[in-house]
Amino acid sequence: MSATLPCSGLMSMGHNCLSQHAVSRPRIGLGSRLHLRNRCPHQLAACHPRQRRLHALKKGRDDLGAVWVQNTDEVHLLLRTDPDVHKSDVSFQVHPNRLTLTVKGDPLLSGDLPEAVNIDGCFWFLEDTTDGRMIHVTLEKQIMGHESWPSPFEPETEPDATITHRTFFELAVGGEPLGKVVFGLFGNALPKTVENFRALCAGDKGQTASGIPLHYKGCIFHRVIPSFMAQSGDFTKGNGTGGESIYGSKFEDEGFPFRHTAAGQLSMANSGPNTNGSQFFITFGAQPHLDRKHMVFGQVESGMEYVQQLEKLGSSSGSVSEIITITNCGEVPQNV
């Protein structure tokens, strides 16, 4: 995507390159690190990551006095507890995607984490502060380098998946018509991202500074990887190193309310945080390693059979066996 795609674990220079697999990032110094006191044994059983956030049990958020902070490598949770609580009263269990914390047998926190953690880098200790006795929990992120976690204490809310706009692509393979794909776009949740895609489909925002139409018409799918995704949107260079948004070269991440959970989702390609342009991809299945790194902003409403045909033309390297072209595109009228 010069925008992010699988580059065998590496991001090509100048490319929005989606990675198929999570890649460990070098650790970034944290300054004065907390003392690793009261490390607890961890249960190592695998836990299927469901998409709920960590939630407080038994006590309300105000009663817990719960606060949290993150940096690029760690998340810290501070929870108020009773002054007579000792370390022997606390039970702490962490899986890669789930945490349970009990005090005197009473569940204080239990639930699924927003992202995976390195269990060997997770620990807790008791701390006496001016606000009383606190349980301080440190969680080491499995993928470092980004302050990407949502608040683990926020109540679970469903993002607004109302379809506010529809757009279409007419596709051709090897110069022969393939079929029409219609997308539904989530404009209430991600209005800026949706407007960018809508306008590039409609071609109603003029030209780039260099005189190239801001339009997907004639654009190719330059990268297709079976079981992963099909990537397009580079209307300036056609190889994953170009493209431009209607707002300028790049625009910032608007948010990550949706996960990559199924085939047919429409998501923005990028080359890192806040580098969205015009490139996008369509998923061929769930891609959880892209969650909170790429913005899902729509879905295929019809024509999924043609998307599946694209998958057959791809390869593990991303190269395609035949040229796939967006021969026409636009916005579907609201009354259709």
Side-chain angles (χ1 to χ4, degrees), residues 23-210:
V23 180
S24 297
R25 302 188 60 128
R27 186 175 179 82
I28 298 173
L30 300 177
S32 58
R33 183 177 170 83
L34 296 166
H35 296 294
L36 308 187
R37 294 179 282 166
N38 296 342
R39 282 187 178 271
C40 297
H42 308 298
Q43 294 189 359
L44 303 181
C47 177
H48 179 71
R50 286 167 289 174
Q51 294 179 12
R52 293 181 294 133
R53 292 180 176 175
L54 188 70
H55 57 278
L57 296 179
K58 300 296 184 183
K59 294 182 179 180
R61 182 173 167 181
D62 293 339
D63 293 334
L64 278 175
V67 296
W68 79 292
V69 67
Q70 70 173 314
N71 53 41
T72 56
D73 290 5
E74 295 178 334
V75 174
H76 300 273
L77 313 176
L78 281 83
L79 313 167
R80 182 177 296 115
T81 189
D82 296 330
D84 62 346
V85 167
H86 301 285
K87 65 180 182 179
S88 60
D89 298 320
V90 180
S91 174
F92 177 65
Q93 296 179 336
V94 64
H95 304 270
N97 293 92
R98 186 173 175 83
L99 180 151
T100 302
L101 178 69
T102 63
V103 176
K104 296 181 179 180
D106 181 29
L108 193 64
L109 292 176
S110 178
D112 297 322
L113 298 166
E115 293 187 11
V117 297
N118 290 321
I119 56 177
D120 290 332
C122 299
F123 58 95
W124 66 275
F125 58 86
L126 289 172
E127 184 176 20
D128 289 319
T129 72
T130 54
D131 293 324
R133 178 156 291 191
M134 309 288 286
I135 300 174
H136 189 146
V137 176
T138 295
L139 305 174
E140 184 179 80
K141 300 176 181 179
Q142 194 172 96
I143 300 178
M144 300 179 183
H146 300 291
E147 295 188 6
S148 59
W149 278 35
S151 170
F153 301 118
E154 287 179 356
E156 185 174 328
T157 57
E158 291 294 327
D160 188 347
T162 301
I163 293 175
T164 58
H165 301 79
R166 288 179 172 86
T167 60
F168 71 90
F169 288 166
E170 292 178 1
L171 302 177
V173 173
E176 295 296 323
L178 176 64
K180 184 176 182 178
V181 179
V182 175
F183 303 100
L185 310 181
F186 310 141
N188 288 343
L190 297 167
K192 187 172 184 177
T193 306
V194 163
E195 174 57 15
N196 182 64
F197 187 80
R198 183 213 64 77
L200 291 171
C201 287
D204 57 11
K205 294 294 184 180
Q207 300 177 336
T208 67
S210 58

Side-chain angles (χ1 to χ4, degrees), residues 196 200 216 232-235 242-245 249 268 276-280:
N196 182 64
L200 291 171
Y216 286 140
S232 181
D234 181 357
F235 59 83
E244 186 173 322
S245 81
S249 177
M268 289 298 294
N276 303 284
S278 57
Q279 292 190 50
F280 63 88

Side-chain angles (χ1 to χ4, degrees), residues 161 163 182-186 264-266 296-302:
I163 293 175
V182 175
F183 303 100
L185 310 181
F186 310 141
Q265 289 181 302
L266 190 59
V296 176
F297 63 94
Q299 63 190 26
V300 173
E301 284 202 314
S302 65

